[in-house]
Each structure stands twice: as structure tokens, then as C-alpha cells.
């Protein structure tokens, strides 16, 4: 998709969704740089790792200043443990917002000059949690809602030289899926709530990210692309006692 020779930075690109995204760009011919606090347990073929704490603004600015070129920035780093609102103070929840919203803003600003120079692209890795109630991960959902709004504003401010889009990601089967859904039985049960009948694989998210960063999406900016397998089956359909499928 026209990514040969392009330099792609994937934050948090060492495992899970991030590793799937990094792998997809490498397979598309891009030069991939991943960054996170810790190196990957298994090195990714075709990707260079550089250590970086994305919550350290000075370190983030120095990281991008040291790169001679950036064509695509994928703001993937993020996540949250399961935590009810009343189980922690506001400062603890604010750290989740910092990682999932402030850090992508910091990285995007740090990369802006390089991106503008080459008419580059930013891909935000959002979440369906930003558009629905997220009990147990409320701060994360709030951050992802803010990230999508940030991307839309950024797309207008940085046009026409930089495109900015969001992948609104549904449930993904990663090495940490058991923490969110339980073991194989839990994953199978959750999969049945998805119209396509399965959780996403990291490669599914990677393919969508490559599309948004490619020339095939040259007229797409400020958009939110849902990658969620059709969403979630409405709970009332299973609770109702009429109109059941045979």
C-alpha cells in the first residue's frame, strides 16, 4: 500500500495490539521503530526497538528529535487494570488518563515537524470503551473518548499536510486477554457476544492501521474507523422472552 521506505513509529509496539500493528507495517515494507519502557520478550522481525517512557515529555521530545524522518506515528501505548472508581483516588485514575490521552498528545506534538515535512499520518488506537459505559475502566474510557476528540481537532488544525485518524478497537485476543475475559471458557463466551463470532486478532488491527496510513486512505482524515467485529449484541435481545431465533 505504498509504504516501502516509510518510517513508522509505533508506541507500545512490543506486545499485544502494538506488536500486531508493528508487524503489519513491517510486512507492508515500512521501516518500523517501536518504543516502550521495556523491550519485547520476543524481538519483532523488521522492527527496531528503542526504550522510552512515554509519560516523560522531555524524553519523548528527545526521542523524536533523534529520528531523521517520521512518516507515520501510531499512538498505541496505553491500557488499564480493572479498577472501580471508588477503589482508588483521583490521582491514580489520572495516571490512566495521562498514559492514554496526554502521552499520545505529547508524542504527536513531538513528531509534528517531521510528519508535516513529509505529509505524514497519525493513527490513534482508540477503543469502543470511549463510546459506551466502561465500569471498571472508567478513566480509560474517558481517556479514549478524549483521544478520539483530540484526533478530530488535530486533523483540522494540521490539514492539509498531516492526516489524523482513529481506529476504534473492540475486544482483542492478546496474551493478556485472560485478565479481561477469563480463561478459554470466558473468551469463548465473550466471543459469542460479537456478531462476527470472535475477538479480533492483533493482525486485524494492524491491517486497519496500515490502510489508514497508506495512500489508499489519502482522502480520509478526522475519521473514526470501527474495528470491532460488528459491535456487541444488544443484551435485551437475549433477555427478552419473545422473537427468539430458532
Amino acid at each position: 500500500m505504498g509504504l516501502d521506505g516509510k518510517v513508522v513509529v509505533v508506541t507500545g509496539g512490543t506486545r499485544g495490539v502494538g506488536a500486531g500493528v508493528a508487524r503489519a507495517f513491517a510486512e507492508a515494507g515500512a521501516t518500523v521503530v517501536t518504543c516502550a519502557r521495556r523491550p519485547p520478550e520476543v524481538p519483532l522481525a523488521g522492527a527496531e526497538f528503542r526504550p522510552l517512557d512515554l509519560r516523560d515529555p522531555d524524553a519523548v521530545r528527545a526521542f523524536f528529535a533523534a529520528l531523521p524522518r517520521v512518516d507515520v506515528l501510531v499512538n498505541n501505548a496505553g491500557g488499564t487494570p480493572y479498577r472501580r472508581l471508588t477503589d482508588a483516588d483521583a490521582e491514580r485514575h489520572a495516571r490512566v488518563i495521562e498514559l492514554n490521552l496526554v502521552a499520545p498528545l505529547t508524542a504527536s506534538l513531538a513528531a509534528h515537524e517531521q510528519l508535516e515535512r513529509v505529509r505524514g499520518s497519525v493513527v490513534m488506537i482508540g477503543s469502543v470503551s470511549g463510546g459506551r459505559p466502561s465500569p471498571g475502566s472508567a478513566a480509560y474510557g474517558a481517556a479514549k473518548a478524549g483521544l478520539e476528540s483530540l484526533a478530530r481537532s488535530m486533523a483540522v488544525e494540521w490539514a492539509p499536510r498531516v492526516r489524523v485518524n482513529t481506529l476504534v478497537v473492540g475486544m482483542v485476543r492478546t496474551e493478556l486477554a485472560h485478565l479481561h475475559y477469563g480463561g478459554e471458557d470466558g473468551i469463548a463466551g465473550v466471543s459469542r457476544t460479537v456478531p462476527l463470532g470472535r475477538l479480533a486478532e492483533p493482525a486485524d488491527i494492524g491491517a486497519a492501521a496500515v490502510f489508514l496510513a497508506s495512500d489508499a486512505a489519502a482522502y480520509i482524515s478526522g475519521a473514526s474507523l470501527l474495528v470491532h467485529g460488528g459491535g456487541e449484541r444488544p443484551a435485551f435481545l437475549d433477555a427478552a422472552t419473545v422473537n427468539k431465533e430458532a
Side-chain angles (χ1 to χ4, degrees):
M1 287 192 178
L3 293 173
D4 289 345
K6 298 292 180 70
V7 177
V8 179
V9 174
V10 182
T11 69
T14 57
R15 65 182 184 181
V17 169
V21 170
R23 189 174 296 111
F25 275 103
E27 291 173 352
T31 297
V32 179
V33 179
T34 65
C35 56
R37 287 186 297 171
R38 291 180 291 273
E41 293 181 3
V42 179
L44 292 170
E48 174 191 353
F49 170 77
R50 298 190 185 187
L52 177 65
D53 184 349
L54 286 150
R55 285 182 285 200
D56 182 341
D58 289 336
V60 172
R61 286 187 280 266
F63 171 86
F64 282 99
L67 294 175
R69 180 184 178 114
V70 179
D71 294 273
V72 180
L73 168 62
V74 181
N75 281 308
N76 164 80
T80 183
Y82 181 87
R83 183 182 292 131
R84 292 277 182 168
L85 283 169
T86 54
D87 289 343
D89 55 28
E91 290 83 353
R92 179 67 66 86
H93 293 301
R95 293 184 64 189
V96 174
I97 295 173
E98 180 185 12
L99 175 62
N100 290 279
L101 177 57
V102 180
L105 172 59
T106 303
S108 298
L109 288 170
H112 174 254
E113 184 177 338
Q114 289 105 313
L115 291 167
E116 186 174 52
R117 190 181 305 135
V118 297
R119 289 186 172 269
S121 172
V122 177
V123 179
M124 304 291 196
I125 303 299
S127 170
V128 294
S129 295
R132 58 154 168 74
S134 298
S137 58
Y140 175 81
K144 290 300 189 180
L147 185 67
E148 200 171 343
S149 176
L150 173 66
R152 287 193 294 267
S153 295
M154 193 180 290
V156 175
E157 288 197 19
W158 292 3
R161 299 194 67 84
V162 180
R163 296 187 300 107
V164 185
N165 292 292
T166 303
L167 286 180
V168 183
V169 177
M171 296 177 287
V172 186
R173 181 164 188 155
T174 69
E175 58 268 60
L176 299 180
H178 64 282
L179 298 178
H180 301 282
Y181 314 122
E184 289 301 318
D185 288 346
I187 291 173
V190 172
S191 295
R192 287 192 291 270
T193 71
V194 180
L196 288 188
R198 66 174 178 87
L199 304 187
E201 297 292 339
D204 295 315
I205 314 306
V210 167
F211 164 69
L212 283 181
S214 74
D215 291 341
Y219 198 65
I220 300 176
S221 193
S224 296
L225 177 60
L226 292 165
V227 187
H228 61 4
E232 299 173 49
R233 179 177 169 82
F236 80 87
L237 293 176
D238 297 317
T241 58
V242 296
N243 302 322
K244 294 288 188 180
E245 295 182 5

